[in-house]
Amino acid sequence: MPDFNAPLRDMRFVLHEVLQAPALWARLPALAETVDADTADAVLEEAAKVTGQLIAPLNRNGDEEGAQWRAGEVRTPAGFKEAYATYIQGGWVGLSGNPDQGGMGMPKMLAVQVEEMLYAANSSFALYSALTSGACLAIDAHASEELKNTYLPPLYEGRWAGSMCLTEAHAGTDLGLIRTRAEPQADGSYAISGSKIFITGGEQDLTENIIHLVLAKLPDAPAGPKGISLFLVPKFLVNADGSVGARNPVHCGSIEHKMGIKASATCVMNFDGAHGWLVGEANRGLTAMFTMMNYERLSIGIQGIGCAEASYQNAVSYARERAQSRSPSGPQAQDKLADPIIVHPDVRRMLLSMKAMTEGGRAFAGYVGQQLDLAKFSDDAEERATAEALVALLTPVAKAFFTDTGLDSCIHGQQVFGGHGYIREWGQEQLVRDVRIAQIYEGTNGIQALDLLGRKVVANGGASLRVFTGAMRAFASQPDAPYARELLDAAQRLENLSQWLIEQSARQPHEIGAASVEYLHLFGYTAYAWMWARMAQVAQRQLATDEAFYGAKLATAEFFFRRLLPRTLGLDACIRAGSESLYGLSEGQF
Amino acid sequence: MPDFNAPLRDMRFVLHEVLQAPALWARLPALAETVDADTADAVLEEAAKVTGQLIAPLNRNGDEEGAQWRAGEVRTPAGFKEAYATYIQGGWVGLSGNPDQGGMGMPKMLAVQVEEMLYAANSSFALYSALTSGACLAIDAHASEELKNTYLPPLYEGRWAGSMCLTEAHAGTDLGLIRTRAEPQADGSYAISGSKIFITGGEQDLTENIIHLVLAKLPDAPAGPKGISLFLVPKFLVNADGSVGARNPVHCGSIEHKMGIKASATCVMNFDGAHGWLVGEANRGLTAMFTMMNYERLSIGIQGIGCAEASYQNAVSYARERAQSRSPSGPQAQDKLADPIIVHPDVRRMLLSMKAMTEGGRAFAGYVGQQLDLAKFSDDAEERATAEALVALLTPVAKAFFTDTGLDSCIHGQQVFGGHGYIREWGQEQLVRDVRIAQIYEGTNGIQALDLLGRKVVANGGASLRVFTGAMRAFASQPDAPYARELLDAAQRLENLSQWLIEQSARQPHEIGAASVEYLHLFGYTAYAWMWARMAQVAQRQLATDEAFYGAKLATAEFFFRRLLPRTLGLDACIRAGSESLYGLSEGQF
């Protein structure tokens, strides 16, 4: 298994130079005291150590040993428990948590970089804390003061962990169908009964307690999604002094045997009249759950980037060392029998595709993080509203585009290794297996695409989209904006296509779902075009200070605009062919 | 694990109706006596039984148990040995083998359909016989009469198996680097010494003997690929009466732990002065090996189609049964709480993409098989030469495009299942893991693409390509040719792009490798367009006789032309961006 080295220089480039985070932090009161460039760098450096030295070395054994279930208990692979104990001492779980409850209050822009390192090092390990951070967010936003005071501090500390209990065997995408019941009790709590599946970290041996956030229905609840409430159900009840008390009747019935993320326990959770407490309003549980869901969606998107980065690092290293055949332009390593395969154009194409998409994704993740920070911390109501609209618009793009292209990058990296990529030894096949889940969980990428096109674009007549493309156009109007023509064309293509879809979908209800996945990809390439133009602008300005680093940014931007962005032409044409040809067959004719 | 049902009606459609195989067989003397429509149907039906009832049921356990190595011996998973014994009794290994040596002499057009069933049922199992058939082909074409008489009959019978020993740890794509040595012995044989890796079926417990075809260098061999010879090295020496004799010093040192095809033993083979016999001329071993290689390349391509077909069958069945959410056009299953997911446009998009690509691939595999049959059996020299040119041109397309899009189809099928696609239970994740190797082995798809564009298109100035596009144009000129305009446009796009690449590559040696993979994909979509137009023509003519079946063909053709073929626009634009942006970074800047 190769080493993982966090791309610190690239992360600082995105954070400090492209997104100019320190200037933003300085003007937001809640952040000005908390973080500056030096603090951020210290956080990144420490995260690089923890992920590279503590967590990444457990990745391969984690895959081979896997999480093990026995009589309701889950044992994580060797080393996980000790590493988790060390990890939480760094305060990482509460990195961007509410400081009033023990969180560190760091900006999301910074946290996304740390998350990327975690996923790159060990996706299974990362999930245990990712779910905890997301659960904290939902509790902080929607729970009563009493629940917050009881649960948030140990969750931020990492002594306790969170889980998200939505799916049932017959209800995945369609949560309106859930059957888990919540019976009101005399003491104001509820008795939760039902069975949930695919619960990441539903049981584990890393933490003293596990706090489940559970969707269930009250006895008088309306049918469908408007009759769902959210409950907090701890594995162990909590005593008045905050200590862990009696076992709550919620148990792990089994864990899944999966393609990848084998060290992450994916649990069947059985609730047998377990004590639970309502979070937020009755029957408004989906809204509260979506606070966590949206957090997890961005986080899972970042799993795509993290795995892609790990794949890229491995593949570049192999391509520099593996010698096979000669360059088409003649021998390069004259003293050897063959050239390193990095000289071959098709190997470069794969490496550059990985590099351009991973770095484009990192910048875009930072940008979405920036909007989250503005939505949360800005004291300007209009700025908050704009940022919120962008977060809503861009979260499904981030989740699905990062992970669809993350799989591509892991496949490319595996392909660079040839046959060696298919065997365990080099870690490439594990990356492919681990990243594949990210296209599926937290709402499949098809669902993300429906959310993007249906709810976030068509439903508001393209208003949020115009905020985004407006920002692109503003950038392109700068005198030294690189690729201004290409950017304006890309923005125009996205706007025209969106307008066409708004019109089509008014007439034909299938049009949104017929276009959505390819539309999301076209959106993603367009967004990355802006990110690459921004990175190229900084690189142009700074080139003289570090020709190797900034020159690489300029060359990768050039590759992106020349060789990847034109994919939007094919996507546009496929989408404009419409939905009709999807309905030429009856169900029986498939 | 779901059942596998061979798509017999679709296979007969391709063979009898689209490619009109029976008429062709009737005019080729070597086939007229051997096969007609009824014989072919009987073969397909028997193959459907064997693969569906005998072989497919072993697929999941084969994955979970895997091939096991102990002290030089390999044990295949439970049931494999017994199933293989039953399987070879049907004569399947020698299906298209030389009848003079015990083969059944069946046409390749038919054999490709049988191969598809084998891979769909159980890719690991299929490999043991695929390697044997390929080895027979090379022995039949290049070995001495004595070797042929000794080895071919038991190989065709399936009592013995073949293996292909090319790769060494430091020599995969670049076979010129191999170090395995062959020392001439007094008796005319050779002592083979060296170590080979990634040898599929190098050791197993299914057959009495294993016949290795081994690339090695003679003591006086020139350096590089022109100094490679091919040797036949049996696991057990063969006595004068054909019985199995003494153990030859060739042993399996270990097997690989792989992402998939776990029931196929991928062996390290150590040759310690093993007895071997020269096959073909000294130093011309690569030519002889390529007889086997080209066979295996088409075969491995068909693995892509087979896995895609299995994925499609599973996904359609799940999409009909799984109920989630309502159709965008309103409830369809009024009596239920949700509609089957096959009503949703994005699910249909995935299913139709799988269907269009799998059936397009099946037709194209049949077409390539037809050219192989013409090249082998035609008594018209010009017809043979044309067919040979087409086989050379189209084999890399088949290998790489079938497998690249085969992975896509397995991913789509897995996605249709949502979270259930990621767990073992439904078999979808195994298909993804199993099909992934097909893009890598028998020459990576990058190597196929270089072969296509460099050797088969640019090197002959596009002559072979014009034979192919000429046939497309001839089809499109028929008065009732459907999609004639789209076909002519696609052929023109491919020709223009090829001409542009011929010119570019004369000036810039990187251009071929920079374009090759995307070029191969553009070629593949163009070829499938022709196949779909041909299928649509038959369906139009026959529609009244079976509206459900032929109507589905017409609707799928429509989907292909509207929603998939426009992808060539993006590919064309990316390729025409040229190779320059691949070389903007130095090796150190990656």
Side-chain angles (χ1 to χ4, degrees), chain A residues 528-545:
Chain A
Y528 282 24
W530 183 26
M531 295 301 123
W532 270 114
R534 293 176 69 165
M535 291 192 272
Q537 185 186 49
V538 173
Q540 272 176 355
R541 292 173 179 170
Q542 299 295 325
L543 185 60
T545 66

PDB file of all heavy atoms in Angstrom, chain A residues 528-545:
ATOM      1  N   TYR A 528     -16.271  23.652 -13.226  1.00  0.00           N
ATOM      2  CA  TYR A 528     -14.820  23.440 -13.164  1.00  0.00           C
ATOM      3  C   TYR A 528     -14.084  24.390 -14.110  1.00  0.00           C
ATOM      4  O   TYR A 528     -12.941  24.777 -13.850  1.00  0.00           O
ATOM      5  CB  TYR A 528     -14.470  21.986 -13.518  1.00  0.00           C
ATOM      6  CG  TYR A 528     -14.701  20.977 -12.418  1.00  0.00           C
ATOM      7  CD1 TYR A 528     -15.607  21.199 -11.396  1.00  0.00           C
ATOM      8  CD2 TYR A 528     -13.984  19.775 -12.409  1.00  0.00           C
ATOM      9  CE1 TYR A 528     -15.818  20.250 -10.400  1.00  0.00           C
ATOM     10  CE2 TYR A 528     -14.180  18.824 -11.419  1.00  0.00           C
ATOM     11  CZ  TYR A 528     -15.099  19.068 -10.414  1.00  0.00           C
ATOM     12  OH  TYR A 528     -15.299  18.123  -9.436  1.00  0.00           O
ATOM     13  N   ALA A 529     -14.734  24.723 -15.231  1.00  0.00           N
ATOM     14  CA  ALA A 529     -14.108  25.677 -16.149  1.00  0.00           C
ATOM     15  C   ALA A 529     -13.855  27.001 -15.425  1.00  0.00           C
ATOM     16  O   ALA A 529     -12.778  27.603 -15.540  1.00  0.00           O
ATOM     17  CB  ALA A 529     -15.003  25.904 -17.379  1.00  0.00           C
ATOM     18  N   TRP A 530     -14.836  27.424 -14.652  1.00  0.00           N
ATOM     19  CA  TRP A 530     -14.649  28.655 -13.884  1.00  0.00           C
ATOM     20  C   TRP A 530     -13.524  28.490 -12.854  1.00  0.00           C
ATOM     21  O   TRP A 530     -12.659  29.357 -12.691  1.00  0.00           O
ATOM     22  CB  TRP A 530     -15.972  29.044 -13.210  1.00  0.00           C
ATOM     23  CG  TRP A 530     -15.904  30.336 -12.462  1.00  0.00           C
ATOM     24  CD1 TRP A 530     -15.050  31.388 -12.695  1.00  0.00           C
ATOM     25  CD2 TRP A 530     -16.726  30.734 -11.355  1.00  0.00           C
ATOM     26  NE1 TRP A 530     -15.293  32.395 -11.811  1.00  0.00           N
ATOM     27  CE2 TRP A 530     -16.319  32.034 -10.972  1.00  0.00           C
ATOM     28  CE3 TRP A 530     -17.773  30.125 -10.666  1.00  0.00           C
ATOM     29  CZ2 TRP A 530     -16.913  32.720  -9.919  1.00  0.00           C
ATOM     30  CZ3 TRP A 530     -18.380  30.817  -9.615  1.00  0.00           C
ATOM     31  CH2 TRP A 530     -17.946  32.099  -9.244  1.00  0.00           C
ATOM     32  N   MET A 531     -13.533  27.362 -12.172  1.00  0.00           N
ATOM     33  CA  MET A 531     -12.487  27.118 -11.170  1.00  0.00           C
ATOM     34  C   MET A 531     -11.104  27.131 -11.822  1.00  0.00           C
ATOM     35  O   MET A 531     -10.154  27.710 -11.301  1.00  0.00           O
ATOM     36  CB  MET A 531     -12.712  25.780 -10.462  1.00  0.00           C
ATOM     37  CG  MET A 531     -13.980  25.709  -9.622  1.00  0.00           C
ATOM     38  SD  MET A 531     -14.037  26.960  -8.315  1.00  0.00           S
ATOM     39  CE  MET A 531     -15.569  27.802  -8.721  1.00  0.00           C
ATOM     40  N   TRP A 532     -11.005  26.498 -13.003  1.00  0.00           N
ATOM     41  CA  TRP A 532      -9.695  26.448 -13.664  1.00  0.00           C
ATOM     42  C   TRP A 532      -9.275  27.813 -14.178  1.00  0.00           C
ATOM     43  O   TRP A 532      -8.074  28.166 -14.161  1.00  0.00           O
ATOM     44  CB  TRP A 532      -9.659  25.379 -14.765  1.00  0.00           C
ATOM     45  CG  TRP A 532      -9.207  24.061 -14.186  1.00  0.00           C
ATOM     46  CD1 TRP A 532      -9.935  22.914 -14.061  1.00  0.00           C
ATOM     47  CD2 TRP A 532      -7.923  23.793 -13.604  1.00  0.00           C
ATOM     48  NE1 TRP A 532      -9.184  21.945 -13.431  1.00  0.00           N
ATOM     49  CE2 TRP A 532      -7.949  22.453 -13.150  1.00  0.00           C
ATOM     50  CE3 TRP A 532      -6.760  24.543 -13.410  1.00  0.00           C
ATOM     51  CZ2 TRP A 532      -6.845  21.847 -12.530  1.00  0.00           C
ATOM     52  CZ3 TRP A 532      -5.663  23.940 -12.782  1.00  0.00           C
ATOM     53  CH2 TRP A 532      -5.717  22.610 -12.346  1.00  0.00           C
ATOM     54  N   ALA A 533     -10.240  28.605 -14.631  1.00  0.00           N
ATOM     55  CA  ALA A 533      -9.890  29.962 -15.070  1.00  0.00           C
ATOM     56  C   ALA A 533      -9.404  30.780 -13.871  1.00  0.00           C
ATOM     57  O   ALA A 533      -8.436  31.547 -13.983  1.00  0.00           O
ATOM     58  CB  ALA A 533     -11.097  30.626 -15.729  1.00  0.00           C
ATOM     59  N   ARG A 534     -10.059  30.601 -12.721  1.00  0.00           N
ATOM     60  CA  ARG A 534      -9.613  31.325 -11.528  1.00  0.00           C
ATOM     61  C   ARG A 534      -8.222  30.877 -11.098  1.00  0.00           C
ATOM     62  O   ARG A 534      -7.380  31.694 -10.701  1.00  0.00           O
ATOM     63  CB  ARG A 534     -10.612  31.113 -10.382  1.00  0.00           C
ATOM     64  CG  ARG A 534     -11.959  31.768 -10.658  1.00  0.00           C
ATOM     65  CD  ARG A 534     -12.967  31.482  -9.567  1.00  0.00           C
ATOM     66  NE  ARG A 534     -12.607  32.159  -8.315  1.00  0.00           N
ATOM     67  CZ  ARG A 534     -13.455  32.308  -7.300  1.00  0.00           C
ATOM     68  NH1 ARG A 534     -14.689  31.849  -7.385  1.00  0.00           N
ATOM     69  NH2 ARG A 534     -13.073  32.920  -6.195  1.00  0.00           N
ATOM     70  N   MET A 535      -8.003  29.559 -11.141  1.00  0.00           N
ATOM     71  CA  MET A 535      -6.668  29.062 -10.770  1.00  0.00           C
ATOM     72  C   MET A 535      -5.623  29.576 -11.754  1.00  0.00           C
ATOM     73  O   MET A 535      -4.515  29.952 -11.367  1.00  0.00           O
ATOM     74  CB  MET A 535      -6.683  27.535 -10.700  1.00  0.00           C
ATOM     75  CG  MET A 535      -7.510  27.013  -9.517  1.00  0.00           C
ATOM     76  SD  MET A 535      -7.286  25.239  -9.185  1.00  0.00           S
ATOM     77  CE  MET A 535      -8.508  24.517 -10.253  1.00  0.00           C
ATOM     78  N   ALA A 536      -5.987  29.615 -13.041  1.00  0.00           N
ATOM     79  CA  ALA A 536      -5.029  30.087 -14.053  1.00  0.00           C
ATOM     80  C   ALA A 536      -4.734  31.570 -13.869  1.00  0.00           C
ATOM     81  O   ALA A 536      -3.595  32.021 -14.079  1.00  0.00           O
ATOM     82  CB  ALA A 536      -5.576  29.819 -15.459  1.00  0.00           C
ATOM     83  N   GLN A 537      -5.735  32.325 -13.455  1.00  0.00           N
ATOM     84  CA  GLN A 537      -5.501  33.754 -13.244  1.00  0.00           C
ATOM     85  C   GLN A 537      -4.458  33.983 -12.141  1.00  0.00           C
ATOM     86  O   GLN A 537      -3.508  34.752 -12.297  1.00  0.00           O
ATOM     87  CB  GLN A 537      -6.812  34.452 -12.872  1.00  0.00           C
ATOM     88  CG  GLN A 537      -6.675  35.964 -12.758  1.00  0.00           C
ATOM     89  CD  GLN A 537      -7.951  36.610 -12.255  1.00  0.00           C
ATOM     90  OE1 GLN A 537      -8.533  36.174 -11.260  1.00  0.00           O
ATOM     91  NE2 GLN A 537      -8.402  37.640 -12.951  1.00  0.00           N
ATOM     92  N   VAL A 538      -4.643  33.281 -11.035  1.00  0.00           N
ATOM     93  CA  VAL A 538      -3.656  33.401  -9.945  1.00  0.00           C
ATOM     94  C   VAL A 538      -2.285  32.935 -10.427  1.00  0.00           C
ATOM     95  O   VAL A 538      -1.263  33.581 -10.155  1.00  0.00           O
ATOM     96  CB  VAL A 538      -4.101  32.561  -8.731  1.00  0.00           C
ATOM     97  CG1 VAL A 538      -3.012  32.532  -7.673  1.00  0.00           C
ATOM     98  CG2 VAL A 538      -5.411  33.078  -8.162  1.00  0.00           C
ATOM     99  N   ALA A 539      -2.273  31.837 -11.169  1.00  0.00           N
ATOM    100  CA  ALA A 539      -0.995  31.280 -11.620  1.00  0.00           C
ATOM    101  C   ALA A 539      -0.282  32.237 -12.566  1.00  0.00           C
ATOM    102  O   ALA A 539       0.949  32.403 -12.482  1.00  0.00           O
ATOM    103  CB  ALA A 539      -1.236  29.924 -12.295  1.00  0.00           C
ATOM    104  N   GLN A 540      -1.033  32.861 -13.450  1.00  0.00           N
ATOM    105  CA  GLN A 540      -0.432  33.860 -14.344  1.00  0.00           C
ATOM    106  C   GLN A 540       0.231  34.979 -13.544  1.00  0.00           C
ATOM    107  O   GLN A 540       1.350  35.395 -13.824  1.00  0.00           O
ATOM    108  CB  GLN A 540      -1.524  34.513 -15.205  1.00  0.00           C
ATOM    109  CG  GLN A 540      -1.825  33.807 -16.488  1.00  0.00           C
ATOM    110  CD  GLN A 540      -2.990  34.489 -17.222  1.00  0.00           C
ATOM    111  OE1 GLN A 540      -3.613  35.414 -16.712  1.00  0.00           O
ATOM    112  NE2 GLN A 540      -3.284  34.009 -18.411  1.00  0.00           N
ATOM    113  N   ARG A 541      -0.521  35.443 -12.550  1.00  0.00           N
ATOM    114  CA  ARG A 541      -0.014  36.575 -11.762  1.00  0.00           C
ATOM    115  C   ARG A 541       1.223  36.205 -10.948  1.00  0.00           C
ATOM    116  O   ARG A 541       2.089  37.033 -10.694  1.00  0.00           O
ATOM    117  CB  ARG A 541      -1.112  37.079 -10.808  1.00  0.00           C
ATOM    118  CG  ARG A 541      -2.288  37.735 -11.532  1.00  0.00           C
ATOM    119  CD  ARG A 541      -3.408  38.061 -10.536  1.00  0.00           C
ATOM    120  NE  ARG A 541      -4.533  38.720 -11.187  1.00  0.00           N
ATOM    121  CZ  ARG A 541      -5.709  38.942 -10.598  1.00  0.00           C
ATOM    122  NH1 ARG A 541      -5.907  38.572  -9.335  1.00  0.00           N
ATOM    123  NH2 ARG A 541      -6.696  39.542 -11.242  1.00  0.00           N
ATOM    124  N   GLN A 542       1.266  34.949 -10.505  1.00  0.00           N
ATOM    125  CA  GLN A 542       2.332  34.531  -9.588  1.00  0.00           C
ATOM    126  C   GLN A 542       3.446  33.732 -10.261  1.00  0.00           C
ATOM    127  O   GLN A 542       4.365  33.270  -9.582  1.00  0.00           O
ATOM    128  CB  GLN A 542       1.730  33.648  -8.470  1.00  0.00           C
ATOM    129  CG  GLN A 542       0.695  34.348  -7.620  1.00  0.00           C
ATOM    130  CD  GLN A 542       1.288  35.495  -6.831  1.00  0.00           C
ATOM    131  OE1 GLN A 542       2.432  35.413  -6.400  1.00  0.00           O
ATOM    132  NE2 GLN A 542       0.542  36.572  -6.673  1.00  0.00           N
ATOM    133  N   LEU A 543       3.327  33.545 -11.558  1.00  0.00           N
ATOM    134  CA  LEU A 543       4.215  32.606 -12.253  1.00  0.00           C
ATOM    135  C   LEU A 543       5.695  32.824 -11.934  1.00  0.00           C
ATOM    136  O   LEU A 543       6.437  31.869 -11.674  1.00  0.00           O
ATOM    137  CB  LEU A 543       3.975  32.690 -13.763  1.00  0.00           C
ATOM    138  CG  LEU A 543       4.741  31.687 -14.631  1.00  0.00           C
ATOM    139  CD1 LEU A 543       4.392  30.256 -14.258  1.00  0.00           C
ATOM    140  CD2 LEU A 543       4.423  31.917 -16.118  1.00  0.00           C
ATOM    141  N   ALA A 544       6.100  34.071 -11.931  1.00  0.00           N
ATOM    142  CA  ALA A 544       7.527  34.358 -11.736  1.00  0.00           C
ATOM    143  C   ALA A 544       8.022  33.912 -10.369  1.00  0.00           C
ATOM    144  O   ALA A 544       9.217  33.644 -10.188  1.00  0.00           O
ATOM    145  CB  ALA A 544       7.775  35.850 -11.927  1.00  0.00           C
ATOM    146  N   THR A 545       7.125  33.810  -9.389  1.00  0.00           N
ATOM    147  CA  THR A 545       7.567  33.465  -8.034  1.00  0.00           C
ATOM    148  C   THR A 545       7.841  31.976  -7.858  1.00  0.00           C
ATOM    149  O   THR A 545       8.548  31.583  -6.933  1.00  0.00           O
ATOM    150  CB  THR A 545       6.515  33.879  -6.981  1.00  0.00           C
ATOM    151  OG1 THR A 545       5.333  33.082  -7.194  1.00  0.00           O
ATOM    152  CG2 THR A 545       6.141  35.346  -7.115  1.00  0.00           C
TER     153      THR A 545
END
